[in-house]
């Protein structure tokens, strides 16, 4: 599937070097190369394709075939800045061409109007950095539509009364309802709520070179063998390659952005597969390395001119991290659901997207989805009711009994932006290349935990209304592991309280742009990728306009 | 065995589904063929690579208590000991030390608890369970596949996790012999599924807009 690409020399000053090939980087590569620019994409992970993907749970999930490897790239964790961080795995992201979009669930909700103006609507929250976005839902709407049509999102417009306005329907109908979705829909309606077919970045109808979903059942966590999952790999990366102006350079681990005496970025310094160092020259640098690695790269790029890290005059690079609250409630039913077949999610509920803080006593909101995202081994490790023996005859019986009669309701919620919650450089631990390791500092705001427990209660109500034989959950706990990596170089008009402006240009370095989860100002309700991709399409338009007006070149 | 499954997939793609589907899936078919080749290379080895035959007997006896054989096959029939052996000789080499040190410790515990017996495999099933319970920390080691895994864990916990993996892994990848693990949990060994999937979606009429509350009664 790999198309012939140009091979730029590192000494060629290309128009753009893009760091990261995931949800945002892939789209920027496609858009900028389509607009006539010469683009090099530096991806730290390997270039895997459909032929490399498989159903091997050990290789893919346990040994991180598609994700950052804890041995090569160890992390540390601490709850608060006054603690000494301890080595432990603290972050998970896709590390291959296509990034996290290769293995994601593909839940593709848009953000709603409220997500952009929450502070104005509800007022400030003491002790938090809750802020409005410098753009609104209306600014982003055309780009949400563009995502749906360009990469292929299945869904049913108008099915949720809570959906924000849209300019066009989905390009294809929703995926089939799974038993989990039918149960969820029936029970939630009984309670007077409004479940709807899940918008999913998975094809329900074939597109050229890509199959519709074959329901193989190895979806969340796995790469799609038939290109049905609308990852950047299966979509925009290939479109970028077909322009003949975009080179995807895998196994290229960027660890510094070089600047010149005038404070402009001149290119990206990276290790190749043999750990030789190169500088790729470029007129402008676009960092799409995710909400953990983007701030880390800026901090690693500190020099005499930028002693606290690149683009960090605000001191906020890496801060205001949000990882979304919530968790899962699991239930068992009398008859087989066989929910292991197919993609994970088929029904969603947004009745609690915008809760009234006066009424519930905390800030926040969320969405619920009906799913089964276990594969056989992960089910044995995490899908059985509490109190089940961990081995022996009764364990075996519980496995036999539970696997095809189980479903989950996943509760996805807001996180408040707190300055202490952050990614930073660990002062002691180094990665396999000798670079400072990522350090996660995180302590959930009490409201985030209250929201999680409140949503669990709603999920239990659904299971009760559905006559589940049993349902169980564990109280929301402070999190120590980040998958959604949001807010760490946030967008804003004020250079003192944000890192990038609404064009995704850093306030401090005129030819340095950042676009990924780090750009988000609020956390949304737990499904950020759709918004990251809409932002990327919009950023590409803004950057193209700036370049065409000559406002990027020196 | 895995060949058969992949072949089914290819056959099905060629006959049961439309020509449009096949052309849209051409890259996927190539990919599946590659898988079949890889899988053929990964067939269960006839000989042990890491364990001595004596160790293998002991390890198999332990796996047979973790997922016992009763009226349905267990870890023994799934060939879990072969899966673990091959893992330790290849991708799971990091755990070699845990096994090299853990098994003698366990045998020492056997002698301590049952002085008349020298090997785990020589104990009765109930005695074997007593020995294993004495090692079981009941920790919440791995809750979900995406949660951080503990850096170090004891021999029994490691063996417990390896046994589950060897019993439930896709049979294409060297464990779960004959798919006995998947048969037990009711997972069909197909590569392609079509809706309806289960009992509750069988007669689902398709999504309908919500009925007004007044009409519902």
């Amino acid at each position: 599937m790999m198309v012939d690409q140009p091979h730029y020399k590192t000494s060629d000053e290309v128009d753009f070097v893009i760091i990261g090939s995931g949800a945002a980087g892939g789209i920027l590569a496609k858009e900028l190369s389509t607009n006539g620019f010469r683009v090099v994409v530096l991806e730290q992970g390997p270039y895997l394709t459909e032929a490399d993907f498989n159903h091997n749970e050990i290789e893919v999930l346990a040994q991180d075939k598609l994700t950052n490897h804890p041995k090569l790239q160890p992390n540390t964790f601490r709850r608060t800045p006054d603690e000494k961080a301890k080595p432990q795995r603290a972050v998970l992201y896709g590390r291959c061409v296509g990034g996290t979009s290769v293995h994601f669930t593909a839940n593709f909700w848009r953000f709603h109007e409220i997500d952009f103006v929450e502070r104005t609507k509800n007022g400030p929250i003491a002790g938090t950095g809750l802020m409005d976005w410098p753009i609104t839902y209306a600014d982003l709407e055309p780009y949400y539509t563009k995502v749906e049509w360009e990469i292929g999102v299945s869904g049913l417009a108008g099915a949720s009364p809570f959906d924000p306005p849209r300019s066009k329907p989905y390009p294809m109908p929703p995926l089939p309802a799974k038993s989990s979705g039918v149960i969820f829909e029936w029970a939630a309606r009984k309670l007077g709520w409004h479940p709807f077919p899940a918008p999913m970045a998975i094809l329900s109808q074939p597109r050229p070179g890509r199959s519709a979903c074959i329901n193989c059942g190895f979806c969340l966590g796995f790469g799609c063998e038939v290109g049905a999952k609308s990852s950047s790999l299966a979509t925009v990366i290939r479109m970028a390659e077909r322009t003949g102006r975009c080179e995807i350079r895998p196994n290229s681990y960027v660890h510094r952005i070089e600047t010149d005496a005038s404070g402009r970025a001149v290119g990206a310094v990276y290790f190749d597969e043999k750990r030789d160092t190169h500088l790729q020259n470029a007129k402008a640098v676009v960092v799409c390395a995710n909400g953990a690695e983007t701030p880390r790269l800026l901090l690693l790029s500190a020099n005499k001119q930028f002693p606290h890290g690149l683009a960090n005059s605000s001191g906020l690079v890496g801060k205001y991290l949000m990882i979304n609250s919530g968790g899962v409630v699991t239930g068992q039913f009398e008859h087989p659901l066989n929910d292991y077949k197919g993609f994970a999610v088929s029904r969603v509920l947004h009745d609690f997207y915008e809760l009234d803080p006066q009424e519930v006593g905390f800030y926040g909101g969320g969405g619920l989805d009906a799913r089964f995202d276990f594969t056989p081994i992960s089910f044995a490790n995490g899908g059985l009711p509490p109190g089940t023996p961990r081995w022996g005859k009764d364990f075996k019986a519980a496995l036999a009994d539970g696997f095809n009669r189980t479903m989950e309701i996943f509760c996805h919620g807001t996180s408040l932006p707190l300055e202490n919650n952050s990614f930073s450089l660990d002062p002691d631990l180094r990665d396999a290349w000798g670079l400072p390791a990522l350090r996660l500092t995180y302590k959930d705001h009490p409201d985030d935990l209250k929201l999680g427990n409140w949503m669990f209660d709603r999920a239990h109500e659904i299971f009760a209304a559905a006559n589940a034989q049993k349902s169980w959950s564990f109280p929301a706990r402070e999190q120590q592991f980040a998958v959604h990596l949001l807010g760490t170089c946030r967008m804003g008009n004020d250079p003192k309280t944000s890192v990038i402006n609404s064009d995704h240009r850093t306030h401090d370095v005129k030819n340095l742009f950042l676009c990924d989860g780090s750009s988000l100002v609020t956390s949304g309700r737990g499904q950020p990728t759709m918004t990251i991709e809409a932002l990327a399409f919009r950023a590409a338009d803004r950057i193209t306009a700036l370049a065409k007006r000559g406002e990027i070149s020196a | 065995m895995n060949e058969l499954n992949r072949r089914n997939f290819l056959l099905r793609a060629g006959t049961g589904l439309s020509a449009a589907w096949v052309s849209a899936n051409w890259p996927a078919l190539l990919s599946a063929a590659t898988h079949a080749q890889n899988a053929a290379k990964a067939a269960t080895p006839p000989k042990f690579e890491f364990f001595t035959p004596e160790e293998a007997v002991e390890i198999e006896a332990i796996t047979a208590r973790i997922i016992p054989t009763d009226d349905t096959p267990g870890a023994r029939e799934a060939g879990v000991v072969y899966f673990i052996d091959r893992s330790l000789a290849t991708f799971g080499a990091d755990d070699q030390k845990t096994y090299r040190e853990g098994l003698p410790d366990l045998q020492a515990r056997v002698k301590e608890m049952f002085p008349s017996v020298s090997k785990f495999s020589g104990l009765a099933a109930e005695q074997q369970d007593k020995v294993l319970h004495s090692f079981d920390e009941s920790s919440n080691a791995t809750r979900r596949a995406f949660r951080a895994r503990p850096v170090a864990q004891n021999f029994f916990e490691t063996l417990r996790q390896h046994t589950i993996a060897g019993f439930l892994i896709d049979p294409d990848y060297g464990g779960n012999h004959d798919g006995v693990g998947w048969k037990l949990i009711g997972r069909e060994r197909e590569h392609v599924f079509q809706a309806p999937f289960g009992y509750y979606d069988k007669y689902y009429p398709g999504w309908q807009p919500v009925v007004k509350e007044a009409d519902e009664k």
Side-chain angles (χ1 to χ4, degrees):
Chain A
M1 289 293 278
M2 275 161 83
V3 178
D4 278 347
Q5 301 178 0
H7 291 283
Y8 297 112
K9 289 185 195 141
T10 52
S11 56
D12 287 345
E13 194 190 45
V14 296
D15 296 310
F16 292 98
V17 61
I18 298 175
I19 299 154
S21 65
I27 285 169
L28 277 147
K30 181 252 170 183
E31 290 291 289
L32 294 175
S33 59
T34 302
N35 291 346
F37 298 108
R38 299 184 311 149
V39 175
V40 171
V41 178
L42 299 173
E43 164 57 50
Q44 61 159 317
Y47 200 144
L48 305 175
T49 68
E50 283 75 1
D52 301 303
F53 298 146
N54 62 35
H55 292 179
N56 187 337
E57 278 191 77
I58 300 300
E59 186 177 277
V60 176
L61 300 186
Q63 304 211 302
D64 293 290
K65 178 174 178 160
L66 309 176
T67 38
N68 57 315
H69 201 287
K71 266 183 148 180
L72 294 174
Q73 297 161 296
N75 316 134
T76 61
F77 171 78
R78 57 183 186 173
R79 289 167 72 242
T80 55
D82 54 339
E83 290 174 15
K84 166 113 182 92
K86 285 182 293 193
Q88 76 181 53
R89 187 168 199 187
V91 58
L92 182 107
Y93 61 78
R95 188 176 181 273
C96 55
V97 172
T100 304
S101 73
V102 169
H103 75 250
F104 66 3
T105 318
N107 244 350
F108 251 48
W109 322 337
R110 298 174 173 209
F111 277 19
H112 295 188
E113 289 103 322
I114 179 69
D115 290 301
F116 299 87
V117 295
E118 210 148 16
R119 175 170 166 146
T120 295
K121 190 158 181 196
N122 290 328
I125 298 176
T128 78
L130 185 64
M131 199 169 80
D132 285 345
W133 290 58
I135 58 172
T136 64
Y137 174 78
D139 294 320
L140 216 45
E141 196 289 328
Y143 298 101
Y144 279 122
T145 298
K146 195 164 181 179
V147 172
E148 289 165 359
W149 285 78
E150 294 249 341
I151 71 162
V153 176
S154 55
L156 184 62
S160 168
F162 304 101
D163 254 2
R166 56 166 51 244
S167 53
K168 229 174 154 178
Y170 288 95
M172 62 186 74
L175 293 158
K178 300 173 70 173
S179 274
S180 56
V182 172
I183 290 169
F184 181 87
E185 182 175 301
W186 177 72
R189 281 189 171 179
K190 212 163 110 183
L191 293 164
W193 301 336
H194 303 82
F196 61 98
M200 299 289 281
I202 297 176
L203 300 185
S204 59
Q205 294 172 344
R207 285 192 155 195
R210 301 174 58 199
S211 164
C213 178
I214 60 170
N215 301 306
C216 74
F218 284 85
C219 198
L220 171 55
F222 293 81
C224 183
E225 296 164 71
V226 299
K229 199 189 277 189
S230 300
S231 67
S232 282
L233 173 72
T235 62
V236 285
I237 292 287
R238 283 169 187 151
M239 299 179 202
E241 289 172 330
R242 281 197 289 271
T243 66
R245 283 183 291 274
C246 179
E247 179 187 349
I248 310 290
R249 203 175 292 161
N251 307 305
S252 302
Y253 180 20
V254 178
H255 52 94
R256 197 167 72 246
I257 295 164
E258 207 69 79
T259 51
D260 64 14
S262 68
R264 291 175 51 84
V266 298
V269 182
Y270 66 95
F271 292 116
D272 67 14
E273 210 166 359
K274 295 177 202 145
R275 303 199 180 186
D276 291 334
T277 304
H278 307 274
L279 166 64
Q280 175 62 54
N281 284 275
K283 289 182 181 142
V285 176
V286 186
V287 189
C288 306
N290 77 42
E293 294 293 354
T294 292
R296 176 168 177 250
L297 177 58
L298 298 179
L299 297 173
L300 286 171
S301 301
N303 56 31
K304 270 186 195 155
Q305 210 177 347
F306 300 101
H308 304 294
L310 211 51
N312 196 21
S313 65
S314 63
L316 293 181
V317 166
K319 295 183 177 171
Y320 291 123
L321 171 67
M322 301 168 286
I323 63 176
N324 289 125
S325 59
V328 71
V329 180
T330 311
Q332 273 188 6
F333 289 84
E334 184 184 358
H335 300 289
L337 283 70
N338 296 330
D339 242 48
Y340 66 84
K341 300 179 182 181
F343 46 93
V345 180
S346 68
R347 287 295 179 272
V348 174
L349 184 107
H350 277 167
D351 290 60
F352 315 119
Y353 200 95
E354 199 180 333
L355 296 170
D356 178 359
Q358 303 301 323
E359 196 182 309
V360 294
F362 54 82
Y363 154 86
L368 273 54
D369 75 43
R371 66 167 63 194
F372 185 81
D373 57 13
F374 289 117
T375 37
I377 300 171
S378 67
F379 179 79
N381 287 323
L384 296 170
T388 306
R390 297 163 68 250
W391 55 279
K393 193 175 186 303
D394 293 340
F395 168 68
K396 184 186 173 192
L399 275 182
D401 194 45
F403 181 71
N404 58 17
R405 296 192 301 109
T406 300
M407 66 169 274
E408 305 160 270
I409 296 177
F410 208 110
C411 306
H412 310 266
T414 41
S415 292
L416 279 163
L418 304 176
E419 193 172 347
N420 280 347
N421 289 344
S422 64
F423 283 114
S424 53
L425 304 179
D426 192 89
D428 304 314
L429 192 66
R430 306 246 150 193
D431 72 9
W433 291 261
L435 302 167
L438 262 176
R439 176 176 63 185
L440 170 64
T441 306
Y442 207 86
K443 188 176 188 300
D444 296 76
H445 189 279
D447 281 17
D448 298 350
L449 298 176
K450 284 179 194 161
L451 169 66
N453 288 321
W454 189 92
M455 288 192 294
F456 294 166
D457 289 344
R458 303 292 84 71
H460 281 293
E461 284 171 23
I462 292 174
F463 277 128
N467 301 318
Q469 288 183 330
K470 56 179 113 172
S471 68
W472 64 90
S473 60
F474 303 91
R477 285 188 311 187
E478 287 179 1
Q479 305 180 80
Q480 305 194 355
F481 189 64
V483 179
H484 293 175
L485 312 168
L486 312 175
T488 48
C489 296
R490 65 185 186 175
M491 180 191 278
N493 292 326
D494 182 354
K496 288 195 189 67
T497 59
S498 60
V499 177
I500 57 170
N501 68 16
S502 60
D503 288 342
H504 290 259
R505 186 185 332 222
T506 61
H507 293 303
D508 303 346
V509 181
K510 293 299 169 208
N511 64 340
L512 175 62
F513 298 84
L514 316 177
C515 183
D516 54 28
S518 74
S519 312
L520 272 61
V521 183
T522 56
S523 70
R525 270 66 179 167
Q527 289 307 326
T529 312
M530 173 50 144
T531 296
I532 292 169
E533 297 199 353
L535 286 173
F537 273 115
R538 183 177 172 278
D541 273 5
R542 311 298 289 185
I543 294 169
T544 298
L546 288 170
K548 294 210 162 143
R549 292 203 301 265
E551 288 179 32
I552 293 180
S553 311
Chain B
M1 44 183 161
N2 48 56
E3 280 279 13
L4 262 183
N5 184 33
R6 295 287 178 180
R7 216 170 286 150
N8 278 344
F9 169 57
L10 293 171
L11 276 176
R12 202 168 275 252
T15 57
L17 298 161
S18 72
W21 191 92
V22 174
S23 58
N25 282 288
W26 184 238
L29 300 184
L30 289 177
S31 139
T34 316
H35 279 278
Q37 283 172 359
N38 289 344
K41 281 184 232 151
T44 304
K47 272 180 17 184
F48 289 107
E49 296 171 52
F50 176 74
F51 296 129
T52 64
E54 294 75 24
E55 286 169 337
V57 168
E58 300 304 305
I59 295 293
E60 184 170 47
I62 302 169
T63 66
R65 296 316 302 158
I66 293 169
I67 302 178
T69 306
D70 37 33
D71 49 349
T72 52
R76 210 181 276 276
E77 292 73 24
V80 164
V81 68
Y82 292 97
F83 172 80
I84 296 174
D85 180 74
R86 187 168 164 274
S87 307
L88 294 173
T90 53
F91 62 83
D94 284 359
D95 287 324
Q96 287 185 0
K97 192 163 171 268
T98 306
Y99 279 78
R100 283 282 178 251
E101 291 173 1
L103 188 55
D105 281 355
L106 183 128
Q107 299 293 28
R109 183 76 55 90
V110 169
K111 282 176 219 158
E112 199 182 300
M113 293 173 70
F114 302 98
S116 62
V117 181
S118 61
K119 282 192 275 183
F120 183 86
S121 59
L123 296 172
E126 280 166 26
Q127 295 171 320
Q128 290 179 331
D129 286 356
K130 275 186 187 158
V131 173
L132 297 183
H133 275 298
S134 78
F135 283 98
D136 185 5
E137 289 174 348
S138 282
S139 60
N140 289 325
T142 307
R143 294 303 305 173
R144 287 173 68 92
F146 276 163
R147 291 297 178 262
R149 291 182 296 279
V151 180
Q153 56 195 13
N154 72 26
F155 169 59
F156 176 70
E157 180 57 25
T158 305
L159 183 48
R160 188 187 75 86
Q161 290 182 8
H162 287 182
T163 302
I164 291 169
F167 188 70
L168 290 177
I169 195 166
D170 185 319
D172 282 5
Y173 307 107
N176 189 6
H177 179 71
D178 242 356
V180 296
W182 282 13
K183 272 178 214 155
L184 176 84
I185 64 173
R187 194 198 192 283
E188 293 169 43
R189 266 188 76 187
E190 297 296 330
H191 204 89
V192 179
F193 296 108
Q194 281 172 325
F197 304 124
Y199 177 88
Y200 299 91
D201 58 315
K202 203 167 183 180
Y203 301 108
Y204 180 71
W207 194 86
Q208 309 289 328
V210 78
V211 204
K212 280 194 200 125
E213 271 164 45
D215 305 339
E216 230 168 335
K217 252 253 130 131

